[in-house]
């Protein structure tokens, strides 16, 4: 079974600064996908960014980028130029290559301070 | 845009009551999921359905059952609610994997259930 660990329950960052959220996972699979989901206060969970394990290039979506270290089984999320709207719970998640189900980490609560 | 809706945002029930949580998606997705979200534990899968009348147990199915009579609707049932089922419940849906490298899950707003 896969496990996903987020070691930072809470983090804070000043507006306009950069913050990195950590995620590690454990799997024996070689083909899989990794995701970061964002859950704003009282709002629906949305996908922020995804990474295919077979791709060496780190995924980037505007101010969001990942540092994917396959050998170390590490998948961190970097948020640049943090905005107040980035305040949310962030979940790291894993999906097997041929599967449909997600395994989530425990989440990191991020507070962006003005 | 995919829309996943849940019947209630907040629900308060008493121990022993039968509870129905409803989820509806409007994108003709084959897959539907029920998760439970608890602080520090993230989201844990309760049940998964990949087609009408089909279901698979997730990681924590004990105390729950599900029903999928129509493709767009997936219900979570607590036959006899207990206080340890107080939690946030999230529904999600996704399309099938056929012809796709991966399938993104789209989430509903959640139902915060309190069992007294």
């Amino acid at each position: 079974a896969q496990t996903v660990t987020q070691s930072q329950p809470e983090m804070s960052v000043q507006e306009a600064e950069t913050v990195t959220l950590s995620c590690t996972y454990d799997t024996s699979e070689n083909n899989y996908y990794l995701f970061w989901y964002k859950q704003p206060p009282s709002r629906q969970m949305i996908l922020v960014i995804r990474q295919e394990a077979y791709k060496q290039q780190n995924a980037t979506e505007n101010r969001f980028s990942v540092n994917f270290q396959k050998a170390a089984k590490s998948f961190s999320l970097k948020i640049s130029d943090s905005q107040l709207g980035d305040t949310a719970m962030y979940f790291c998640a894993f999906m097997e290559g041929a599967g449909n189900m997600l395994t989530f980490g425990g989440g990191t609560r991020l507070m962006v301070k003005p | 845009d995919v829309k996943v809706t849940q019947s209630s945002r907040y629900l308060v029930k008493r121990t022993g009551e039968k509870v129905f949580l409803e989820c509806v998606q409007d994108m003709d997705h084959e897959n539907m999921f029920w998760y439970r979200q608890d602080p520090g534990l993230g989201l844990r899968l309760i049940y998964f359905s990949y087609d009408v009348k089909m279901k698979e147990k997730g990681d924590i199915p004990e105390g729950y059952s599900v029903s999928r009579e129509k493709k767009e609707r997936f219900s979570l049932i607590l036959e006899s609610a207990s206080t340890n089922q107080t939690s946030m419940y999230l529904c999600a849906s996704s399309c099938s994997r056929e012809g796709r490298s991966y399938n993104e899950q789209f989430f509903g707003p959640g139902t915060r259930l309190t069992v007294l």
Side-chain angles (χ1 to χ4, degrees):
Chain A
Q2 288 76 25
T3 58
V4 179
T5 302
Q6 294 178 245
S7 59
Q8 305 149 315
E10 293 186 357
M11 294 189 73
S12 64
V13 62
Q14 292 296 132
E15 197 174 6
E17 292 188 349
T18 296
V19 64
T20 298
L21 309 184
S22 301
C23 173
T24 58
Y25 59 94
D26 188 22
T27 183
S28 58
E29 301 286 329
N30 192 49
N31 181 28
Y32 52 87
Y33 301 89
L34 294 162
F35 305 85
W36 279 98
Y37 277 87
K38 171 185 177 180
Q39 186 181 43
S42 302
R43 292 176 60 189
Q44 284 173 248
M45 185 116 68
I46 58 172
L47 179 65
V48 174
I49 197 165
R50 76 172 192 275
Q51 174 79 42
E52 291 88 341
Y54 63 86
K55 289 188 177 179
Q56 292 186 336
Q57 186 172 4
N58 289 323
T60 299
E61 288 287 343
N62 300 314
R63 297 183 296 107
F64 298 87
S65 61
V66 299
N67 183 3
F68 174 49
Q69 302 288 328
K70 190 172 183 179
K73 295 180 182 174
S74 170
F75 182 61
S76 61
L77 174 70
K78 185 171 83 171
I79 307 174
S80 304
D81 186 24
S82 297
Q83 300 176 359
L84 296 178
D86 295 333
T87 291
M89 282 291 292
Y90 287 83
F91 293 97
C92 178
F94 173 100
M95 180 184 287
E96 289 182 8
N100 289 294
M101 289 181 273
L102 289 167
T103 299
F104 286 86
T108 296
R109 185 178 302 278
L110 176 68
M111 172 76 73
V112 179
K113 297 179 179 179
Chain B
D1 283 348
V2 174
K3 192 170 183 181
V4 181
T5 58
Q6 295 182 228
S7 50
S8 305
R9 289 301 301 270
Y10 300 92
L11 205 55
V12 180
K13 296 292 182 180
R14 296 216 173 264
T15 302
E17 282 192 77
K18 190 169 185 176
V19 182
F20 292 88
L21 302 183
E22 304 284 336
C23 175
V24 177
Q25 51 93 4
D26 66 357
M27 281 301 291
D28 201 35
H29 283 170
E30 289 78 13
N31 303 323
M32 296 188 76
F33 308 81
W34 275 108
Y35 293 92
R36 172 176 170 158
Q37 180 180 355
D38 298 289
L41 299 178
L43 280 71
R44 293 177 291 167
L45 182 66
I46 304 172
Y47 268 99
F48 159 54
S49 171
Y50 53 92
D51 201 350
V52 175
K53 298 189 185 295
M54 306 304 288
K55 62 185 180 184
E56 283 189 18
K57 292 181 180 179
D59 299 318
I60 52 165
E62 296 78 17
Y64 304 94
S65 61
V66 291
S67 173
R68 192 162 179 206
E69 297 296 320
K70 294 184 178 181
K71 191 175 185 180
E72 68 271 16
R73 188 178 298 268
F74 192 34
S75 301
L76 180 68
I77 303 157
L78 288 66
E79 294 288 342
S80 178
S82 63
T83 55
N84 62 13
Q85 292 178 311
T86 291
S87 187
M88 171 72 87
Y89 291 87
L90 293 175
C91 176
S93 72
S94 69
C95 54
S96 70
R97 292 297 300 269
E98 292 181 20
R100 299 173 189 270
S101 58
Y102 83 102
N103 47 353
E104 179 181 346
Q105 289 189 19
F106 296 87
F107 286 83
T111 296
R112 186 166 295 281
L113 173 67
T114 301
V115 183
L116 302 175

